[in-house]
Amino acid sequence: RCIRPMKDGVIADFENTAVMIQDMICRVKRKFSLRRPTIVIGVPSGITQVEKRAVIDAAICSGAGSVHLLEESMAAAIGAGLPVDKPVASMIVDIGGGTTEVAILSMNSTLYSHSIRVAGDEMDEAIQRYLRKEYGLQIGIFEAERVKFMVGSALPLGKPRKVGVCGRDLSNGIPRQVDVGDDEIREVLQEPVGVIVSSVITALEQTSPEIAHDIVSRGVWMAGGGSLLRGLSERLERETGIRFQRATDPLSCVVRGVGVVLDNLRLMKPLCISQ
């Protein structure tokens, strides 16, 4: 049975989260001689104090010696190679599974940060609801993600596409396949995509003239698996008039950024969230 102990970027199942972290620590211990390692964990910028405490407690229960929390937007920016330590503003939109992080960073500090719990998972769930309602077909979350990857888009595609979707017929319980077009899925994704676009526009409206100059001249960077949705960067450009570009490896930006902070913890500890 597949278990997801994290939901919307925070802990949904404390015990299984602790088991998951413990397994990760054990894998590292096989290669390195570590007793109680220091851990840096990326968390959403909108995390509450209670949620912070839960993350720290789960890591300590798993065998960690000390735990540091780092905002995912800062981690994504570092992982994307943005000059967060320079006197120039860098804007990043990190669309993960549970949350979308929109942030403006400069001089190792966060000038603006906003987290919304609408991202890749919400898109997958919207596809599930649509197929259940329109076709009477129940599908799993991984099949919904596959459909999103195959035909999902934020803008019309140059050539119509269709994908076969397999699931369980709700009327008789027998497995069935239906063909779904990209136009249907695009309509389904309009609501979550619209929320993400609105959050980016809100962030741009909050900028000062000096910051706005940096963003217009340097563009906005995108990270996270959600940034791979076809046409999303083009739609954001159309809505804002600003250039949007994906990081070289958007899927691993956050983990690479966390790794950089961990490797240079003595110098970069001030970037972590104060406990």
Side-chain angles (χ1 to χ4, degrees):
R1 188 164 69 96
C2 183
I3 298 173
R4 297 185 67 184
M6 306 289 291
K7 177 69 174 174
D8 293 338
V10 295
I11 293 176
D13 184 333
F14 182 88
E15 291 185 2
N16 281 311
T17 299
V19 171
M20 180 180 69
I21 298 174
Q22 186 176 39
D23 178 70
M24 295 175 181
I25 292 175
C26 288
R27 294 187 189 189
V28 174
K29 282 183 175 180
R30 293 172 193 165
K31 297 183 179 180
F32 305 97
S33 298
L34 300 172
R35 295 188 62 187
R36 294 184 66 82
T38 298
I39 295 179
V40 177
I41 301 176
V43 295
S45 59
I47 192 171
T48 66
Q49 289 297 331
V50 173
E51 291 166 341
K52 288 180 190 176
R53 190 73 252 170
V55 172
I56 294 170
D57 289 347
I60 295 296
C61 289
S62 304
S66 62
V67 183
H68 304 276
L69 305 183
L70 179 68
E71 288 188 357
E72 290 179 352
S73 53
M74 179 64 78
I78 294 171
L82 300 187
V84 298
D85 58 333
K86 305 297 183 184
V88 59
S90 299
M91 182 170 176
I92 189 159
V93 181
D94 175 33
I95 308 171
T99 63
T100 294
E101 308 287 323
V102 182
I104 301 172
L105 313 163
S106 179
M107 295 291 289
N108 287 332
S109 63
T110 302
L111 305 179
Y112 175 91
S113 181
H114 183 58
S115 176
I116 57 172
R117 297 192 177 183
V118 176
D121 290 346
E122 183 66 26
M123 297 180 193
D124 299 339
E125 291 166 7
I127 293 172
Q128 282 183 301
R129 291 192 298 268
Y130 173 76
L131 289 166
R132 185 184 183 94
K133 179 181 178 182
E134 295 297 322
Y135 292 93
L137 193 71
Q138 184 176 23
I139 65 170
I141 196 70
F142 295 114
E143 179 71 354
E145 186 178 30
R146 185 184 72 85
V147 172
K148 178 182 68 178
F149 177 77
M150 296 295 292
V151 298
S153 65
L155 290 174
L157 302 176
K159 189 176 182 180
R161 299 188 183 186
K162 282 199 172 186
V163 64
V165 185
C166 298
R168 184 172 67 88
D169 193 313
L170 291 172
S171 63
N172 54 30
I174 297 175
R176 179 165 65 96
Q177 177 176 309
V178 298
D179 291 332
V180 180
D182 65 280
D183 55 336
E184 296 176 83
I185 301 303
R186 184 164 50 255
E187 185 63 31
V188 171
L189 297 179
Q190 280 302 311
E191 184 174 348
V193 168
V195 173
I196 293 171
V197 172
S198 296
S199 69
V200 173
I201 292 174
T202 299
L204 292 170
E205 290 173 346
Q206 304 295 318
T207 59
S208 66
E210 294 79 7
I211 294 173
H213 177 271
D214 289 342
I215 293 173
V216 170
S217 60
R218 302 183 66 246
V220 180
W221 292 82
M222 300 178 67
S227 67
L228 296 173
L229 183 70
R230 294 180 186 86
L232 182 55
S233 59
E234 290 83 356
R235 175 166 174 182
L236 284 165
E237 287 185 7
R238 183 180 297 181
E239 297 270 358
T240 64
I242 298 173
R243 178 169 51 95
F244 281 74
Q245 53 199 331
R246 278 197 298 267
T248 303
D249 186 5
L251 288 171
S252 66
C253 278
V254 172
V255 70
R256 282 190 285 114
V258 169
V260 170
V261 172
L262 183 58
D263 288 341
N264 303 276
L265 191 57
R266 183 173 297 180
L267 294 174
M268 304 184 79
K269 189 176 178 180
L271 297 181
C272 297
I273 302 172
S274 58
Q275 304 302 319

